[in-house]
Amino acid sequence: MAFKDVQRCATLEPKNKTFLETLRRLGAEIQAKLKTTFSTDSRVQNMFDILFDEEMDKDKKEKAANNLIVLSREDAGAERIFQNNGVPLLLNMIDTGKPEMIVAAVRTLSGMCTGHKARVSRREKEIALATSNLFQCINDSLTGADTREYGKEAALVLDAAKDLKTILLALLEMIANKNVSGYGRDQALNLLSKNVPRTNKKNPDYSRTLFTIDHGLKKILKVCGQVPELPDQLPLTENSQMIASVLLNKLYDDLTCDPERDNFREICDQYIKSKIDPNNMDKTLHAVNTISGLLQGPFDVGNALVGHQGVMEMMVALCGSEREVDQMVAVEALIHSSTKMSRASFIITNGVSLLKDIYKKTTNEKIKIRALVGLCKLGSAGGDDYSLRQFAEGSTEKLAKQCRKWLCNPKIDAKTRKWAIEGLAYLTNDADVKDDFVEDELALKAMFDLAKSTDKTIIYAVACTLVNCTNSYEKKEILPELVQLAKFSKQHVPEQHPKDKKDFIEKRVKRLLKAGVISALAVMVKADSSILTDKTKEMLARVFLALSADPKDRGIIVAQGGGKALIPLALEGTDAGKGKACHALAKIAAVSNPTIAFPGERVYEVVRPLVSLLHTDKEGAQNYEALRGLTNLAAYSEKLRWSKIVKEKALPEIENLMFEENEKIRLAATECMCNLVTSKEVQERYLEDGNDKLKLLVLLCGEDDDKIQIAAAGALAMITAAQKKLCTKMTLVTVQWLEILQRLCLHSNPKIQHRGMVIVYNMLDSDNNELAKKLIESELLEILTVIGKAEDNPKRQDPIDAARTCLVKAMDLGLIKPFSTPS
């Protein structure tokens, strides 16, 4: 418009230099703007802007979606979509749930991925992760794992078996493809691990597992066998081989009969044999490394392969090789093969002298540390049994000292330092070692820094070490009678180390918290990988529970993000792990401000784990902590009370625990109900006929325990104020109601007395004249009069004021008259 105006001016005054100069400037700007507008970058951005504009009309959106699909089919356009943050934006389009947006996004992604494996397996971690999310969305939709309601659209779904098989074959092809980046390979392995083995063993269909074993087991074994130090290997991350081992373990566990397991073992056996070549050491190393991968996954399969004639001898021979890489691979295989005590006993006999020899003679730190870990592992074969030490007194402490020295040395690469933690994971079974370790703050911080790194293979070793240091492993209680019987029959009895007693454990917990264990745990929990197995989650939950034992320490746990980190542990994993995490959550929820401990919407996620602890089959301590946590949450907001606590069906469980014999649990349940009665849903339950809910509340007001009386009387005061009908109902549920009410009003505790007075006022104000008359005709009038006439007293002012209010109400109802002196 400006250009047109100046053009008209120039027509009127052709010789005006200002007009001519302005025309030239505007013309150049318009050309530049046109070039930008029609550039691919700008077109891509414009398409996304139109698609996400809620006010844009449907026709323009459809046109933009079609343009995006066309652009994705051109090399330049597809590349620009990638460069302009396109994958996350396309995933956002899928998340809208609108069919036209989903179709456009999927078609655009198809256009971008067709013939461009490089885009699916990009080196950038975020792009590989985003693409794997797309595959997961497609898989969930096709398998029915996406349980959302789609109404009539569901009828349009065709048989998805063929598409699922295509995706599965594509993922299997990716894991052994040299052109795929390490991040892409990790995500392909993660997708297989998440979607192929059954999550529920009751599901009879495990055809995907059988299909994967037939078409991809050798490819997974290939990943396990890679030796990054050798040339011409697949691109890997530090996590790739561990993820492959976890996948192998899940596939093997998913099999249901011996012939299927025999087939699995046979494929592995044939693969190993095909790689052992005396004339090609690199191929032989690949075979040994594959065995290491199996020993970290389906141990029985790896163990059987180690037992084959010549395999152990081959490992021993490689230990004596002059090449560093040969020694490294062989020593690692020896370490992994001694996981079970039966196998460890064989290596104690045959391998200790070999490992000691390597440890003493080698000058290479990488080999030395691995040999040391082998010795650590063999030295810990007796677990925490003080009487079953494998090595001489003081040897384990020396080994641990060397591990700590390596761990704290920043000049050694992270992959080698990781092995120092592996060693400590075994040695910290010894109480002397764990006590020395937690005293070494530098070593602790070095371990926590490694736990926060991108290498997630370290998580299990760190979790083991922390479980040992906090003594949070499963410990069966042995009856003294059984110990005596075992001694009499000359059976071995495990002995507890003096430093494994309660006071030593508490000191270790304090030192771990001071060194920053919570921030390390919070990072470990976030590991978006198959490496964070259910067993590892259980160990982390055990550590959290041990750390939260002292209420004074829970503030530190909240401040460093522990409350937030516990939620996923409470929702997924083994039953034991979820139970421990829920218990730790309950401990934190009981004493913390919910808005700080669980910021934002997370506060609503805490309710279900706490409610799961209310069942009668749970321990009393879990019931108690869960009730205290829910009491705190119930005071947070009406939305939380009604939409979560009531909807999660917590009320019947809380009511059951109000009958509990244990006074602490009964008190906690009553306090929780006191905070819940402000919810209309709860009040309606008390209004229903045919139950003893109100009767229980009235009878609890008559208990001898002050705290129970405060909670029960508080609940009764609030509920009778909200629902006038309950004032009459409470006189019908028990004949003791008046006696209990009088006891409340005469109580020496002003808090209880005040609550009693409020209940009396509610009954006077209930629109039931007969009930009001009955109260005033009883001894309550005398009680109210005495308290109301008392002098003001700051310590007892609340019940005094309440008594005066009751007397005023009685006068208003005409039940009593003011005293007047004759003139």
Side-chain angles (χ1 to χ4, degrees), residues 511-728:
R511 288 191 171 275
L512 286 168
L513 285 165
K514 188 183 174 187
V517 65
I518 297 298
S519 58
L521 286 168
V523 172
M524 288 158 74
V525 168
K526 286 178 187 170
D528 183 26
S529 164
S530 303
I531 289 172
L532 191 66
T533 60
D534 286 350
K535 184 65 183 169
T536 310
K537 287 177 189 173
E538 182 183 323
M539 288 197 289
L540 296 178
R542 288 179 181 281
V543 174
F544 265 119
L545 183 58
L547 295 171
S548 58
D550 186 346
K552 293 175 187 172
D553 296 331
R554 293 173 200 169
I556 300 169
I557 295 172
V558 168
Q560 295 181 5
K564 192 166 56 175
L566 269 166
I567 294 171
L569 295 178
L571 298 172
E572 293 176 4
T574 63
D575 288 341
K578 287 191 286 188
K580 303 287 180 191
C582 290
H583 196 180
L585 263 181
K587 283 176 179 285
I588 290 167
V591 297
S592 309
N593 180 338
T595 54
I596 297 170
F598 315 105
E601 294 297 306
R602 285 191 184 89
V603 72
Y604 297 100
E605 295 175 48
V606 181
V607 176
R608 185 173 293 176
L610 299 195
V611 173
S612 71
L613 295 178
L614 297 180
H615 299 299
T616 47
D617 60 339
K618 300 289 182 185
E619 295 171 17
Q622 291 178 322
N623 292 160
Y624 176 68
E625 298 285 7
L627 286 165
R628 290 185 67 217
L630 287 169
T631 302
N632 198 10
L633 291 174
Y636 175 63
S637 73
E638 174 57 31
K639 186 183 174 187
L640 190 60
R641 279 193 293 275
W642 185 82
S643 70
K644 287 305 290 181
I645 298 176
V646 175
K647 279 195 174 178
E648 288 293 343
K649 299 186 174 133
L651 286 178
E653 301 296 342
I654 296 167
E655 286 158 0
N656 284 341
L657 292 169
M658 286 169 75
F659 286 98
E660 184 63 42
E661 285 181 24
N662 183 305
E663 274 197 16
K664 284 179 77 176
I665 294 175
R666 195 161 74 245
L667 168 63
T670 310
E671 285 178 337
C672 189
M673 187 57 72
C674 181
N675 279 1
L676 286 170
V677 291
T678 54
S679 171
K680 285 186 178 180
E681 186 94 0
V682 180
Q683 292 165 14
E684 284 167 13
R685 287 173 70 87
Y686 278 88
L687 285 166
E688 291 169 3
D689 292 326
N691 63 63
D692 290 333
K693 293 177 180 43
L694 190 62
K695 181 180 179 180
L696 174 63
L697 211 52
V698 176
L699 292 176
L700 285 171
C701 290
E703 287 272 325
D704 293 330
D705 185 284
D706 277 18
K707 288 180 179 176
I708 290 180
Q709 278 188 294
I710 288 170
L716 197 58
M718 284 191 283
I719 206 166
T720 50
Q723 299 290 341
K724 293 185 177 182
K725 289 180 183 177
L726 290 175
C727 296
T728 306

Side-chain angles (χ1 to χ4, degrees), residues 227-518:
V227 183
E229 291 78 10
L230 295 178
D232 200 33
Q233 301 293 295
L234 295 173
L236 302 174
T237 70
E238 55 271 345
N239 300 317
S240 303
Q241 287 167 298
M242 182 58 79
I243 299 171
S245 291
V246 171
L247 173 56
L248 287 172
N249 193 48
K250 285 187 173 183
L251 291 171
Y252 188 70
D253 279 351
D254 203 35
L255 299 175
T256 59
C257 61
D258 288 342
E260 289 167 355
R261 294 188 192 98
D262 291 341
N263 176 55
F264 188 101
R265 282 193 286 265
E266 183 62 29
I267 294 171
C268 294
D269 192 29
Q270 291 301 321
Y271 183 82
I272 299 295
K273 282 178 181 173
S274 71
K275 297 296 176 185
I276 294 174
D277 184 352
N279 300 318
N280 187 336
M281 196 52 70
D282 288 1
K283 273 184 82 175
T284 303
L285 278 185
H286 182 90
V288 174
N289 221 27
T290 306
I291 292 172
S292 282
L294 286 162
L295 287 164
Q296 292 173 84
F299 182 84
D300 294 341
V301 178
N303 203 8
L305 291 168
V306 172
H308 285 185
Q309 190 176 358
V311 173
M312 188 62 80
E313 289 80 358
M314 181 176 63
M315 289 183 192
V316 172
L318 284 169
C319 286
S321 169
E322 291 180 7
R323 278 204 314 177
E324 176 191 295
V325 67
D326 296 349
Q327 291 181 46
M328 268 171 45
V329 170
V331 173
E332 283 183 23
L334 276 175
I335 293 166
H336 295 310
S337 63
S338 60
T339 296
K340 295 282 172 77
M341 198 170 173
S342 57
R343 178 57 56 182
S345 59
F346 169 80
I347 295 176
I348 285 169
T349 312
N350 299 281
V352 170
S353 56
L354 173 68
L355 289 169
K356 278 184 179 174
D357 201 42
I358 294 169
Y359 179 66
K360 286 175 184 173
K361 288 181 180 177
T362 186
T363 55
N364 187 315
E365 294 280 320
K366 291 180 179 179
I367 308 299
K368 206 175 184 73
I369 198 167
R370 284 163 172 79
L372 178 67
V373 172
L375 291 169
C376 292
K377 196 168 187 179
L378 299 173
S380 68
D384 69 338
D385 186 349
Y386 186 46
S387 61
L388 269 185
R389 291 186 164 200
Q390 299 294 328
F391 296 156
E393 187 78 36
S395 294
T396 47
E397 284 95 315
K398 284 179 185 174
L399 292 173
K401 193 174 181 182
Q402 184 59 56
C403 281
R404 298 205 315 268
K405 189 178 171 185
W406 271 318
L407 182 59
C408 294
N409 188 348
K411 292 178 183 175
I412 298 173
D413 64 283
K415 194 174 180 183
T416 305
R417 287 165 69 207
K418 179 181 79 175
W419 282 96
I421 300 175
E422 291 276 353
L424 287 165
Y426 298 113
L427 292 175
T428 46
N429 277 308
D430 184 303
D432 287 317
V433 171
K434 61 181 102 169
D435 226 49
D436 291 342
F437 181 46
V438 295
E439 294 277 338
D440 189 343
E441 198 168 327
L442 283 175
L444 281 178
K445 286 187 172 172
M447 181 175 80
F448 296 154
D449 287 343
L450 281 173
K452 295 174 188 176
S453 69
T454 54
D455 184 353
K456 300 305 175 190
T457 57
I458 204 169
I459 290 176
Y460 186 79
V462 174
C464 283
T465 307
L466 291 173
V467 164
N468 290 339
C469 290
T470 55
N471 282 53
S472 50
Y473 37 71
E474 199 68 55
K475 202 80 168 154
K476 287 184 181 176
E477 209 164 314
I478 304 170
L479 296 171
E481 295 85 355
L482 290 176
V483 173
Q484 294 301 320
L485 187 63
K487 285 180 179 176
F488 180 75
S489 59
K490 296 184 179 178
Q491 295 293 317
H492 172 71
V493 179
E495 289 179 32
Q496 188 187 42
H497 194 290
K499 288 185 178 177
D500 272 334
K501 293 199 165 92
K502 192 179 178 183
D503 53 340
F504 280 96
I505 297 168
E506 286 172 357
K507 283 178 189 172
R508 289 201 289 269
V509 164
K510 303 284 182 193
R511 288 191 171 275
L512 286 168
L513 285 165
K514 188 183 174 187
V517 65
I518 297 298

